[in-house]
């Protein structure tokens, strides 16, 4: 079965170092999924192209454009995510946050996510663990232990960037391929939310008898 | 089919002049809009209910009672009545009183309200919104249908030996709509009681409205009130008309660009694609509005929003003239033409509900109960056999 991994990038310039890093990570994930005997389809979402749609969504009380609806569906139906942002003012960029603000709160339940960030200097590297990781924890995603941070110098010098990419990609590939094997042990009694909703469909409907119970006087 | 106006009752500066009407002026304008609606041949005027500035309509029955005294045929409604933060006992009394005063020319639309602080101001918790809507509405049905109510619930003080006065006019409670944008629980509630379902429509993409209406229709049939296409549906619409599309856009654009809710956001053109907003000629409004039935099915009530965003009263009254003269007569004919005979053209009115007699399902607190019990006993018998 072909797995789908959606690659979310929030770089603004073209070409951007954020997209450059995202492509390296995505290639590594492809290779690692392949090494586990499965195929992967990568779906790239450049948030720059959605900037107008996101502004519309935010300023119209939450009406999604057709393009934003498509991307929300794509994200929630994916088997895994690679999320890459540039560091702006000590955190992920506003555009990056705006996209995740525009998702349904159940859009990423249980989603394997690899986080990565770029910046001019390595001094910003804790953005991965102090900003991105809590964001995805809130959305109930499963963030792989290794985050990938690339400062400008990493694109030239001899650093361990590619080793980190390989390790993170291996962690993500394991989760993306392993999803099927986890299922099948019977109903989940933990109350864990595993179903993902993009917000396009209405979701499960509660029968009125259950809604009225205890409220009929 | 019924056509009308729904007003939010916002006090908004006119962006072309910077002038803000006083509350007195805005209330007077809403009255004039209602009277004009009757004059130009529209059927319904519905007022919002709000408990915070910049909105004026905090006391809908006071206003609707005043309008009732000045009109003869106009049906008075709400958009919406806050079933969460109002005491259902007071809703039962206030709207029964209004029903008597207006000679039965009222119905009302239940809504939860989307302004967070209103809940604590009225001693409620917004996280209980759905539960409040369920419990309070059920109590409202009891109060209008049972002579003496003994009741205990989660949210208000229990009632022992309580009789709501006045009893509904002719012993017939008003017809009720439930308005909801995305809560499936409310579509389910409307379907369960066989009430009407109204979708605001104007701030949403049509795919969403279509799903909500379809859910309500399917569940209406499930609960035994009729076939899905006979369910009672109302939709909002937002229009601004001129002699040409360019002229309409030129005149409306400053109001659109500065409007509460969507101003300073999407362009007029984009918003017209994303939502049912139509700014153009009366012919364009007719074509777009007829198209609503293509995805919502043949429906019974169309309400237009025409008086928000600081539009001056003279412009609003002119828009009403155009609606009444050039748009609504054509819509009536065309909607009649496409509607199958078994689908009701109008929502239930006081006259039709009285004519249906005291044994009609409308007089039951839970009309669906008989259907559900019959289904249960059939399946039990099937299991035994």
């Amino acid at each position: 079965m072909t797995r789908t991994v959606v690659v979310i990038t929030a770089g603004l310039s073209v070409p951007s170092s954020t997209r450059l890093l995202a492509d390296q990570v995505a290639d590594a994930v492809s290779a690692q999924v392949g090494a586990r005997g499965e195929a992967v389809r990568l779906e790239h979402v450049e948030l720059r192209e959605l900037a107008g749609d996101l502004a519309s969504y935010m300023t119209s009380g939450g009406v999604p454009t057709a393009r934003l609806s498509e991307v929300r569906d794509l994200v929630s139906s994916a088997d895994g995510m690679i999320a890459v942002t540039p560091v702006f003012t000590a955190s992920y960029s506003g555009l990056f946050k705006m996209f995740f603000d525009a998702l349904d709160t159940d859009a990423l339940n249980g989603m394997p996510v690899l986080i990565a960030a770029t910046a001019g200097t390595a001094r910003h590297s804790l953005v991965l663990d102090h900003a991105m990781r809590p964001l995805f924890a809130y959305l109930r995603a499963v963030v792989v232990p290794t985050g990938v941070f690339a400062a400008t110098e990493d694109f030239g010098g001899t650093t361990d960037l590619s080793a980190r990419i390989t390790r993170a990609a291996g962690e993500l590939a394991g989760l993306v391929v392993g999803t099927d094997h986890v299922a099948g042990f019977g109903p989940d009694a933990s109350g864990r939310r595993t179903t993902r909703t993009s917000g396009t469909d209405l979701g499960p409907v509660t029968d009125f008898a259950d809604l009225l119970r205890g409220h009929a006087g | 089919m019924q056509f009308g106006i729904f007003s939010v009752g916002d006090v908004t500066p006119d962006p072309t002049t910077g002038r803000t009407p006083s509350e007195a002026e805005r209330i007077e304008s809403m009255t004039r809009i209602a009277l004009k609606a009757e004059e130009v041949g529209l059927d319904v005027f519905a007022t919002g209910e709000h408990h915070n500035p910049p909105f004026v309509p905090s006391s809908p029955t006071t206003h609707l009672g005043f309008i009732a005294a000045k009109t003869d045929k106009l049906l008075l409604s709400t958009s919406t009545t806050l079933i969460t933060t109002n005491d259902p006992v007071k809703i039962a009394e206030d709207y029964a009183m209004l029903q008597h005063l207006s000679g039965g020319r009222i119905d009302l639309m239940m809504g939860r309200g989307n302004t967070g602080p209103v809940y604590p101001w009225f001693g409620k918790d917004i996280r209980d919104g759905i539960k409040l809507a369920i419990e309070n509405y059920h109590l409202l049905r009891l109060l209008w249908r049972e002579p003496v109510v003994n009741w205990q619930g989660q949210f208000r003080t229990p009632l022992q030996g309580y009789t709501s006065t006045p009893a509904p006019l002719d012993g017939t409670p008003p017809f009720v709509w439930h308005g909801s944008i995305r809560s499936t629980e409310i579509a389910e509630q409307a379907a369960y009681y066989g009430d009407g379902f109204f979708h605001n429509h104007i701030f949403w993409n049509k795919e969403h409205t279509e799903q909500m209406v379809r859910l309500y229709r399917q569940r209406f049939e499930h609960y035994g009130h009729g076939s899905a296409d006979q369910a009672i549906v109302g939709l909002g619409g937002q229009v601004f008309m001129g002699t040409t599309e360019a002229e309409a856009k030129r005149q409306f654009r400053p109001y659109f660009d500065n409007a509460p809710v969507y101003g300073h956001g999407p362009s007029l053109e984009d918003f017209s694609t994303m939502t049912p907003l139509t700014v153009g000629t009366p012919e364009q409004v007719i074509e777009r509005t007829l198209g609503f039935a293509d995805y919502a099915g043949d429906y019974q009530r169309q309400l237009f929003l025409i008086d928000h965003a600081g539009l001056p009263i003279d412009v609003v009254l002119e828009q009403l003239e155009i609606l009444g003269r050039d748009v609504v007569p054509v819509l009536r004919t065309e909607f009649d033409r496409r509607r199958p005979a078994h689908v009701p053209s109008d929502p239930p009115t006081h006259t039709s509900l009285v004519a249906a007699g005291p044994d009609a399902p409308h007089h039951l607190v839970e009309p669906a109960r008989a259907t559900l019990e019959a289904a249960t006993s059939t399946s039990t018998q099937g299991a035994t056999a």
Side-chain angles (χ1 to χ4, degrees):
Chain A
M1 191 187 80
T2 302
R3 306 303 203 280
T4 303
V5 171
V6 63
V7 188
I8 308 290
T9 46
L12 292 180
S13 55
V14 183
S16 74
S17 51
T18 299
R19 178 60 191 260
L20 199 62
L21 178 64
D23 286 344
Q24 289 181 26
V25 172
D27 287 347
V29 168
S30 268
Q32 295 272 358
V33 174
R36 286 163 173 78
E38 300 287 348
V40 67
R41 186 174 74 246
L42 297 168
E43 296 278 3
H44 289 275
V45 177
E46 283 281 359
L47 296 185
R48 187 188 206 289
E49 294 166 11
L50 281 175
D53 301 76
L54 290 169
S56 269
Y57 179 83
M58 292 297 166
T59 51
S60 62
V63 188
T65 61
R67 169 75 181 136
L68 181 57
S69 289
E70 277 171 33
V71 172
R72 296 205 302 180
D73 290 342
L74 174 70
V75 163
S76 288
S77 63
D79 301 299
M81 174 185 282
I82 298 165
V84 196
T85 180
V87 176
F88 281 11
T89 322
S91 189
Y92 35 65
S93 75
L95 181 62
F96 184 84
K97 178 65 158 57
M98 214 153 130
F99 176 70
F100 289 96
D101 286 345
L103 296 183
D104 191 278
T105 48
D106 285 317
L108 297 185
N109 289 343
M111 171 86 74
V113 177
L114 188 164
I115 52 174
T118 58
T121 154
R123 290 190 191 97
H124 291 299
S125 60
L126 276 172
V127 156
L128 289 174
D129 297 309
H130 286 202
M132 295 182 82
R133 219 172 266 281
L135 172 77
F136 288 105
Y138 173 77
L139 290 168
R140 302 184 201 91
V142 178
V143 184
V144 300
T146 305
V148 179
F149 184 87
T152 308
E153 64 197 33
D154 286 302
F155 290 101
T158 339
T159 65
D160 64 349
L161 177 64
S162 59
R164 289 188 68 80
I165 289 174
T166 305
R167 191 165 84 222
E171 290 164 0
L172 184 71
L175 290 175
V176 166
V177 173
T179 348
D180 286 355
H181 307 297
V182 183
F185 293 112
D188 188 338
S190 65
R192 189 172 61 119
R193 294 198 212 179
T194 49
T195 320
R196 291 196 278 270
T197 53
S198 69
T200 303
D201 294 328
L202 296 182
V205 177
T206 309
D207 194 89
F208 196 74
D210 295 327
L211 295 172
L212 190 59
R213 191 165 296 125
H215 294 286
Chain B
M1 188 167 168
Q2 293 175 346
F3 295 88
I5 299 302
F6 65 143
S7 178
V8 185
D10 57 318
V11 179
T12 303
D14 181 333
T16 65
T17 62
R19 188 179 175 282
T20 307
S22 67
E23 289 180 322
E25 284 174 319
R26 185 64 173 109
I27 294 166
E28 166 72 11
S29 292
M30 288 177 73
T31 306
R32 290 177 67 189
I33 289 165
L35 302 188
K36 177 65 88 173
E38 173 164 282
E39 181 193 319
V40 302
L42 268 58
D43 310 298
V44 185
F45 173 80
T47 176
E49 178 185 332
H50 298 276
H51 300 276
N52 55 318
F55 307 101
V56 291
S58 57
S59 181
T61 52
T62 310
H63 196 184
L64 294 178
F66 181 74
I67 295 168
K70 291 173 166 280
T71 50
D72 298 315
K73 290 187 295 191
L74 191 66
L75 188 75
L76 306 165
S77 188
T78 57
S79 56
T80 60
T81 294
L82 303 178
I83 188 63
T84 46
T85 46
N86 284 309
D87 182 358
V89 171
K90 198 71 177 89
I91 295 179
E93 294 176 342
D94 284 347
Y95 284 88
M97 190 77 187
L98 179 64
Q99 190 194 27
H100 280 270
L101 289 170
S102 65
R105 286 188 287 127
I106 68 146
D107 59 25
L108 57 167
M109 192 202 302
M110 300 301 164
R112 297 205 308 285
N114 62 359
T115 308
V118 172
Y119 285 80
W121 285 334
F122 286 79
K124 300 292 190 287
D125 185 333
I126 195 169
R127 293 169 296 181
D128 293 327
I130 294 281
K131 285 182 177 180
L132 282 162
I134 300 289
E135 179 171 305
N136 286 350
Y137 180 62
H138 196 80
L139 174 55
L140 179 61
R141 286 189 73 91
L142 285 168
L143 292 165
W144 275 341
R145 286 168 175 82
E146 294 190 355
V148 179
V149 172
N150 296 311
W151 178 91
Q152 183 166 4
Q154 184 183 340
F155 296 113
R156 91 180 292 291
T157 192
L159 296 169
Q160 294 297 335
Y162 182 80
T163 297
S164 181
T165 60
L169 178 65
D170 302 319
T172 303
F175 183 69
V176 168
W177 302 78
H178 300 265
S180 177
I181 289 168
R182 53 185 152 194
S183 300
T184 56
E185 294 91 340
I186 301 303
E188 175 74 8
Q189 181 186 32
Y192 180 75
Y193 295 105
D195 293 337
F197 180 71
F198 184 89
H199 200 278
N200 157 290
H201 197 207
I202 59 178
F203 296 136
W204 302 91
N205 49 323
K206 72 176 196 300
E207 292 77 11
H208 177 76
T209 303
E210 180 178 9
Q211 288 188 76
M212 287 293 286
V213 171
R214 188 193 309 129
L215 169 67
Y216 160 68
R217 288 185 181 283
Q218 288 168 347
R219 299 299 286 175
F220 181 93
E221 181 170 311
H222 169 78
Y223 287 119
H225 306 296
S227 60
D229 60 0
Q230 291 172 320
I232 305 301
V233 172
L235 294 177
Q238 189 186 5
V239 296
F240 191 89
M241 295 161 290
T243 45
T244 64
E245 182 181 343
E247 176 57 24
K249 284 183 172 171
R250 187 195 63 76
Q251 205 181 347
F252 187 62
R253 194 178 300 277
Y255 297 95
F256 177 89
D257 286 346
N258 293 285
V261 184
Y262 52 74
H264 310 285
S267 69
L268 171 56
E269 285 71 15
D270 283 349
F271 202 66
S272 301
T273 311
M274 291 156 64
T275 76
L277 170 66
T278 309
V279 181
T281 63
E283 293 72 26
Q284 287 174 308
V285 167
I286 289 166
E287 189 185 342
R288 189 85 185 274
T289 308
L290 287 170
F292 296 169
D294 292 338
Y295 55 86
D298 291 294
Y299 61 110
Q300 287 73 28
R301 177 176 287 181
Q302 172 65 53
L303 298 183
F304 292 106
L305 174 70
I306 57 162
D307 72 331
H308 76 314
L311 281 160
I313 180 67
D314 294 346
V315 174
V316 175
L317 296 178
E318 188 192 345
Q319 290 291 310
L320 265 167
E321 296 265 3
I322 302 172
L323 269 182
R325 185 185 62 228
D326 302 332
V327 175
V328 167
V330 182
L331 289 177
R332 283 192 204 283
T333 310
E334 292 302 317
F335 275 123
D336 277 349
R337 198 194 307 276
R338 58 160 288 157
R339 185 187 312 109
H342 69 281
V343 174
S345 63
D346 287 67
T349 59
H350 184 70
T351 309
S352 76
L353 292 170
V354 170
D359 298 327
H362 179 70
H363 293 271
L364 299 172
V365 173
E366 294 180 73
R369 187 165 282 280
T371 309
L372 293 173
E373 281 167 3
T376 311
S377 85
T378 309
S379 66
T380 312
Q381 282 165 11
T384 314

